Amino acid sequence: MLVAAVAMSLAPLASASAGNNGLTKTVVPEPATYVLMALGLAGLGIVARRRRK
């Protein structure tokens, strides 16, 4: 489940082609995407730290 969440959060980072004119458009993720990813990583760090003690 974690892998699916990370894959979905990184999906907006992919470049999308804008047609046959050779231009590419990079999609910029919303700030909320970064916040959710940071909270998830912090949560994993807390769980790992608790298990080590």
Side-chain angles (χ1 to χ4, degrees):
M1 186 162 133
L2 176 63
V3 174
V6 171
M8 287 184 353
S9 67
L10 295 179
L13 296 176
S15 295
S17 178
N20 293 332
N21 58 5
L23 298 176
T24 58
K25 181 175 103 174
T26 303
V27 180
V28 179
E30 294 183 18
T33 303
Y34 290 125
V35 171
L36 286 174
M37 191 166 72
L39 287 173
L41 290 174
L44 287 174
I46 291 169
V47 169
R49 188 174 185 174
R50 281 186 173 184
R51 287 187 181 201
R52 232 187 314 163
K53 287 185 176 184

